[in-house]
C-alpha cells in the first residue's frame, strides 16, 4: 500500500476551498443569463400591448392607488440604445427632444404632463434644466391625495441628481421645486419618496467609468449602496455593500430593495438614524429583479424581472420586435410570510 500523502490531501482541500465560491458564483451567473433553462409562457393570452406609436424608452411606471391612473417616465429611445446603465455610452447626438412624463388611462389614451419652473416674478416657463429620466416615485399628501410630489432620478450631464416637482391631479403640468445633487448620489437608479423632501435612493454601482462598471457588474461585486436625504436636505449612507441595488419600495415600516446581481429582494427596517437594517431576503436566481411596486392595500409586491440577461443586453442595443421575443420577462407577486421575513412567490406573467 502506498504511503498516505498528507500534502496532496491538504492541497486538494485548499483548492476546493478556493474554487468553491468561484464555482458557485459562476453557476449563479449562468443561471442569470438563462443558460440551460427553458421557460414557458404564463398568462400571455390575456395581455395586450399598449402605447404603440406613443411611448418609447419608458423606465418606470407608477399607478396612483386613488385614481387608477398610471404615470410613466419615458425617454428618447434612439439616444438610450447603449444606455443599459447610465454609465454606458449615451448618444447625445441623437437626443432630439427632452424626456417626457405621461399620464395613462386603461383605455390606452395618454397625455403628456408638461414640466415647468417658476421665474422670480412668478411666471411659469418650461423646465430649463437637462432631463434624462430613470426611476421615480410619488408622495401623496396625506391630507389631500390629489396633491402629489414627484421625485425623478435625473442623470444630468456631469452628475446625477434628483429633480422634485409638485403636481395636482388632473393638471396638464407640474412645477419644479428643486433639483438636488451630492457626491453620495453618484449612480442613482431608483428612489423612494418618504415625504415632500425626504427620500431613499439606490446607487446601483460604485463606479461611473464604463469599464469599471462592467467589471463590477459581471463579477457581481457588492459595490452598491442606498442613500438617505432627510427633511433638512442632509444626505447620509443608509446602506452599503449590496450587489447592484435597483428598485426600492416600502410597506408600512418595511423597506424593500431589489438586488439585480444577487439576485433577490431584501427586506429592511429603518432605524432611528434612517440607516437600513437587514431583516431577510428572498432569492430567485433564474431571473433578475428590476423595479418594485407595492400594493398599499395589502403589502403585496409586484416585481418585474428579466429572464435572460444576455438577450436583454442585446435588446437594449437593438430594440426590435425580433430581439424582444428572445429576451424574456416575468412579473412576480411576492407575499410576505407571517412566520419569517421572506416571501411566497407567484408568477403572474411569463413572456419568454
Amino acid at each position: 500500500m502506498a504511503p498516505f500523502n498528507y500534502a496532496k490531501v491538504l492541497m486538494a482541500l485548499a483548492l476546493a476551498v478556493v474554487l468553491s465560491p468561484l464555482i458557485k458564483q459562476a453557476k449563479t451567473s449562468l443561471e442569470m443569463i438563462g443558460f440551460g433553462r427553458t421557460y414557458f409562457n404564463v398568462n400571455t393570452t390575456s395581455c395586450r400591448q399598449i402605447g404603440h406609436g406613443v411611448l418609447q424608452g419608458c423606465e418606470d411606471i407608477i399607478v396612483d392607488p386613488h385614481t387608477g391612473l398610471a404615470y410613466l417616465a419615458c425617454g428618447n429611445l434612439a439616444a438610450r440604445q447603449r444606455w443599459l446603465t447610465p454609465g454606458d455610452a449615451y448618444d447625445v447626438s441623437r437626443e432630439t427632444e427632452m424626456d417626457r412624463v405621461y399620464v395613462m388611462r386603461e383605455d390606452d389614451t395618454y397625455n403628456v404632463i408638461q414640466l415647468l419652473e417658476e421665474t422670480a416674478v412668478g411666471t411659469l416657463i418650461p423646465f430649463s434644466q437637462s432631463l434624462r429620466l430613470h426611476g421615480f416615485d410619488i408622495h401623496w399628501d396625506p391630507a389631500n391625495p390629489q396633491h402629489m410630489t414627484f421625485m425623478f432620478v435625473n442623470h444630468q450631464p456631469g452628475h446625477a441628481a434628483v429633480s422634485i416637482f409638485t403636481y395636482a391631479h388632473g393638471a396638464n403640468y407640474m412645477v419644479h421645486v428643486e433639483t438636488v445633487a451630492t457626491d453620495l448620489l453618484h449612480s442613482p437608479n431608483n428612489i423612494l419618496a418618504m415625504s415632500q423632501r425626504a427620500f431613499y435612493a439606490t446607487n446601483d454601482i460604485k463606479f461611473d467609468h464604463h469599464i469599471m462598471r462592467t467589471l463590477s457588474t459581471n463579477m457581481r461585486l457588492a459595490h452598491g449602496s442606498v442613500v438617505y436625504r432627510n427633511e433638512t436636505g442632509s444626505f447620509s449612507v443608509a446602506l452599503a455593500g449590496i450587489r447592484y441595488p435597483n428598485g426600492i419600495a416600502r410597506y408600512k415600516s418595511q423597506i424593500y430593495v431589489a438586488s439585480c446581481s444577487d439576485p433577490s429582494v431584501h427586506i429592511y427596517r429603518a432605524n432611528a438614524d434612517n440607516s437600513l437594517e437587514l431583516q431577510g431576503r428572498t432569492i430567485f436566481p433564474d431571473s433578475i429583479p428590476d423595479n418594485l411596486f407595492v400594493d398599499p392595500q395589502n403589502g403585496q409586491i409586484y416585481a418585474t424581472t428579466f429572464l435572460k440577461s444576455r438577450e436583454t443586453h442585446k435588446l437594449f442595443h437593438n430594440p426590435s420586435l425580433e430581439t424582444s421575443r428572445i429576451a424574456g420577462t416575468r412579473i412576480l407577486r411576492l407575499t410576505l410570510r407571517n412566520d419569517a421575513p421572506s416571501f411566497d412567490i407567484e408568477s403572474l406573467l411569463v413572456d419568454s
Side-chain angles (χ1 to χ4, degrees):
M1 179 181 294
F4 190 77
N5 194 324
Y6 288 98
K8 288 185 177 180
V9 172
L10 291 175
M11 184 177 295
L13 289 173
L15 188 61
V17 170
V18 171
L19 292 180
S20 178
L22 297 178
I23 293 173
K24 183 178 180 181
Q25 178 160 304
K27 179 176 181 293
T28 301
S29 298
L30 289 173
E31 288 176 335
M32 288 169 57
I33 66 174
F35 181 80
R37 286 187 174 271
T38 301
Y39 301 96
F40 299 95
N41 289 345
V42 175
N43 290 335
T44 53
T45 57
S46 60
C47 298
R48 61 188 176 91
Q49 290 185 333
I50 59 177
H52 289 293
V54 179
L55 303 178
Q56 62 167 329
C58 298
E59 166 63 28
D60 208 350
I61 177 172
I62 295 177
V63 177
D64 186 341
H66 307 94
T67 64
L69 296 174
Y71 297 91
L72 301 93
C74 303
N76 189 308
L77 190 58
R80 291 178 181 231
Q81 285 191 15
R82 292 189 175 274
W83 206 43
L84 179 59
T85 59
D88 290 349
Y90 188 93
D91 194 347
V92 179
S93 65
R94 303 182 72 178
E95 191 176 34
T96 57
E97 58 186 20
M98 183 179 287
D99 288 4
R100 295 181 177 181
V101 178
Y102 289 89
V103 57
M104 177 179 69
R105 291 164 287 275
E106 286 191 52
D107 63 357
D108 199 12
T109 58
Y110 311 80
N111 289 104
V112 176
I113 299 178
Q114 301 177 64
L115 274 58
L116 306 178
E117 62 185 34
E118 190 173 355
T119 66
V121 296
T123 304
L124 293 178
I125 62 173
F127 183 56
S128 61
Q129 298 181 27
S130 176
L131 189 71
R132 293 172 181 169
L133 298 176
H134 205 160
F136 77 101
D137 198 18
I138 304 172
H139 177 265
W140 287 269
D141 186 337
N144 184 358
Q146 293 197 346
H147 291 168
M148 295 173 266
T149 301
F150 281 68
M151 298 185 177
F152 297 99
V153 172
N154 186 1
H155 294 281
Q156 297 182 328
H159 68 275
V162 171
S163 294
I164 302 176
F165 293 78
T166 59
Y167 177 71
H169 167 69
N172 64 355
Y173 66 90
M174 58 179 64
V175 180
H176 180 242
V177 177
E178 59 178 336
T179 294
V180 297
T182 171
D183 290 342
L184 294 180
L185 200 67
H186 53 80
S187 182
N189 188 306
N190 215 319
I191 187 168
L192 171 61
M194 302 297 290
S195 70
Q196 292 178 341
R197 288 177 54 83
F199 61 80
Y200 286 96
T202 56
N203 282 315
D204 49 29
I205 293 290
K206 178 180 179 180
F207 306 102
D208 56 9
H209 190 275
H210 172 61
I211 295 177
M212 293 304 297
R213 288 180 66 92
T214 300
L215 287 175
S216 182
T217 301
N218 291 340
M219 295 179 67
R220 302 176 56 242
L221 301 179
H223 284 163
S225 64
V226 178
V227 299
Y228 178 75
R229 188 211 189 204
N230 65 18
E231 296 288 349
T232 65
S234 297
F235 284 85
S236 60
V237 177
L239 173 68
I242 180 173
R243 291 187 177 99
Y244 207 106
N246 194 324
I248 181 169
R250 70 165 171 160
Y251 180 66
K252 296 182 178 179
S253 62
Q254 291 183 316
I255 292 176
Y256 309 115
V257 178
S259 168
C260 286
S261 54
D262 207 6
S264 55
V265 172
H266 295 209
I267 306 169
Y268 294 96
R269 179 183 65 198
N271 295 319
D273 62 355
N274 299 305
S275 63
L276 298 180
E277 181 179 342
L278 182 65
Q279 303 296 296
R281 64 175 181 163
T282 291
I283 301 174
F284 28 93
D286 59 341
S287 58
I288 300 174
D290 190 4
N291 294 337
L292 304 176
F293 178 80
V294 175
D295 187 332
Q297 301 300 319
N298 55 28
Q300 290 181 319
I301 302 172
Y302 294 84
T304 55
T305 70
F306 299 113
L307 297 179
K308 309 165 190 173
S309 62
R310 185 170 180 269
E311 299 301 332
T312 300
H313 194 276
K314 293 179 182 178
L315 170 62
F316 274 85
H317 286 69
N318 182 22
S320 66
L321 287 177
E322 281 66 35
T323 53
S324 65
R325 287 198 185 100
I326 298 173
T329 56
R330 176 164 60 181
I331 307 298
L332 299 175
R333 180 164 60 195
L334 282 62
T335 302
L336 190 66
R337 294 174 177 169
N338 294 324
D339 57 343
S342 59
F343 301 98
D344 291 320
I345 302 176
E346 177 187 3
S347 291
L348 297 183
L349 174 69
V350 178
D351 185 2
S352 60

